[in-house]
Amino acid sequence: MDVVTLGETMVLFTTKTTGLMRYSGDFSTKIAGAESNVAIGLTRLGHQAGWISRLGDDEFGERILSFIRGEGIDVSQVMFDDVASTGLYFKEKLSPDEVKVKYYRNDSAASQMLAHDLDETYIASAKFLHVTGITPALSKDCYETVLTAIDYAKRNGVTVVFDPNLRRKLWTESQARKVLRELSAMADIVLPGIDEAEFVFGRSDPETLAQAFYDNGASTVIMKLGKKGAYVLSDKTSSFVEGFSVEHIVDPVGAGDGFAAGCLSGLVDGLDLIEAVRRGNAVGAMVTMADGDVEGLPDKKRLTHFMNNTHQDDVER
Ligand code: KDG
């Protein structure tokens, strides 16, 4: 197993018309969850990924399991809850550039994940454990499950990758800031977006914020800068890695997860950090070119074509 991840996946309902959801009668439905988005990005690129989660014993849970298993992800650790329901969320397009999200996930099946349900041997079998800041926001049990997963990883020499993935609607600012800082300190690799970095450490430039995560305990910081690319800091390097230009952004949601999948794919393939992040930039850019979180995630052939045929400014080192 290359990467094991852990988190909630939901059925996403997106209005088919622009405007207030109260006037929308038609919705498209897709599967979306930050952690399974990353796992799908990895399997599409030929890697082995496992997804740990809990689903409702309902039609939406069955649909999610079928979709994720169909993407070649190991779902042997997924549990079904015969009481709590599968989480849902709705995307309301108020204008082409203004999207609002409404979660229906309180007390969802995934929020009932328990630390004692984790299989240490399963986590120990991976090269990387990928966790995000969404899961600890779901419940105290989920917070403890993430802590236990990180402990199992560290005890078994598995590299811990943490993506803060700040979701302000899921918890208070003070709760979020405390836990995101705490988990960032435990991680080997941290993948903050610039906004999340400023949320945790205050307003500043990418270099200063990356240093703050490094001083906080992470050994590698890969800061997402959107279309500008990323800034990388480790004990061996500090560098901006230029992003890839995209002529028409269809849907930016999920780009950060694609970036994470690309970076992890590069590291699994033995690329150096800069080249792994360059792959992350490319995958993140490709995600924005399709509607939905995972529909733009490429296979190796499409990724290679995109990277070789898209203008990229020189990498500044
Ligand atoms: O990164 C995209 C995720 O935010 C989306 O898939 C849904 O996991 C999700 C969340 O909690 O917002």
Side-chain angles (χ1 to χ4, degrees):
M1 193 70 72
D2 296 315
V3 179
V4 165
T5 189
L6 175 154
E8 177 167 32
T9 294
M10 300 167 282
V11 175
L12 162 63
F13 291 77
T14 304
T15 53
K16 285 190 174 177
T17 53
T18 302
L20 291 171
M21 192 152 60
R22 71 185 77 171
Y23 302 124
S24 297
D26 294 329
F27 295 83
S28 67
T29 59
K30 293 181 188 293
I31 306 301
E35 300 80 10
S36 59
N37 293 347
V38 172
I40 291 168
L42 286 160
T43 52
R44 293 239 178 112
L45 292 171
H47 305 294
Q48 288 187 322
W51 175 61
I52 301 171
S53 192
R54 194 178 183 99
L55 292 166
D57 186 10
D58 51 41
E59 284 304 300
F60 291 129
E62 293 294 346
R63 174 173 174 182
I64 289 168
L65 188 77
S66 173
F67 178 77
I68 291 176
R69 181 169 50 207
E71 288 284 347
I73 292 161
D74 180 84
V75 294
S76 61
Q77 304 303 300
V78 175
M79 300 183 75
F80 277 90
D81 191 305
D82 53 15
V83 176
S85 301
T86 301
L88 309 175
Y89 80 113
F90 289 74
K91 207 188 277 187
E92 182 181 39
K93 292 180 288 186
L94 296 170
S95 73
D97 300 325
E98 187 187 357
V99 174
K100 277 175 72 176
V101 163
K102 173 67 179 168
Y103 292 127
Y104 288 84
R105 67 196 300 187
N106 284 344
D107 301 324
S108 67
S111 72
Q112 319 289 324
M113 275 190 276
L114 295 170
H116 74 65
D117 288 332
L118 289 176
D119 177 346
E120 180 173 359
T121 309
Y122 186 79
I123 290 173
S125 73
K127 299 184 183 73
F128 295 90
L129 169 72
H130 167 265
V131 289
T132 78
I134 297 170
T135 310
L138 302 179
S139 65
K140 190 172 185 315
D141 283 335
C142 278
Y143 166 69
E144 287 169 3
T145 299
V146 171
L147 289 180
T148 303
I150 291 172
D151 180 46
Y152 287 169
K154 285 182 167 304
R155 290 206 305 217
N156 292 278
V158 177
T159 301
V160 177
V161 181
F162 176 63
D163 187 335
N165 258 338
L166 174 61
R167 298 293 178 273
R168 295 170 183 267
K169 294 184 176 184
L170 298 180
W171 45 2
T172 66
E173 282 210 6
S174 61
Q175 287 171 323
R177 191 166 288 113
K178 174 179 176 293
V179 171
L180 294 185
R181 187 183 288 228
E182 175 193 18
L183 297 183
S184 296
M186 296 175 184
D188 299 298
I189 301 173
V190 180
L191 303 168
I194 185 75
D195 295 342
E196 293 160 348
E198 292 187 332
F199 174 81
V200 175
F201 290 114
R203 195 160 180 70
S204 188
D205 57 78
E207 295 97 319
T208 305
L209 289 166
Q211 190 63 50
F213 277 102
Y214 188 85
D215 296 343
N216 185 51
S219 52
T220 300
V221 184
I222 305 174
M223 188 168 297
K224 293 173 270 189
L225 302 174
K227 59 188 172 191
K228 291 180 187 169
Y231 177 74
V232 181
L233 175 65
S234 73
D235 56 355
K236 298 186 180 67
T237 187
S238 61
S239 172
F240 281 92
V241 183
E242 203 64 29
F244 287 78
S245 53
V246 171
E247 280 180 28
H248 175 52
I249 292 179
V250 175
D251 178 4
V253 178
D257 305 325
F259 174 82
C263 290
L264 282 169
S265 169
L267 294 174
V268 169
D269 279 348
L271 299 183
D272 68 32
L273 186 56
I274 299 299
E275 284 309 306
V277 171
R278 186 167 173 271
R279 182 179 290 184
N281 284 339
V283 176
M286 294 182 80
V287 167
T288 67
M289 296 160 67
D291 183 40
D293 287 28
V294 302
E295 285 68 15
L297 288 168
D299 57 21
K300 270 278 177 66
K301 187 178 173 191
R302 281 188 61 234
L303 175 63
T304 304
H305 177 76
F306 178 81
M307 293 182 78
N308 295 340
N309 295 278
T310 305
H311 173 68
Q312 181 193 30
D313 300 337
D314 290 342
V315 174
E316 298 170 31
R317 294 182 190 280

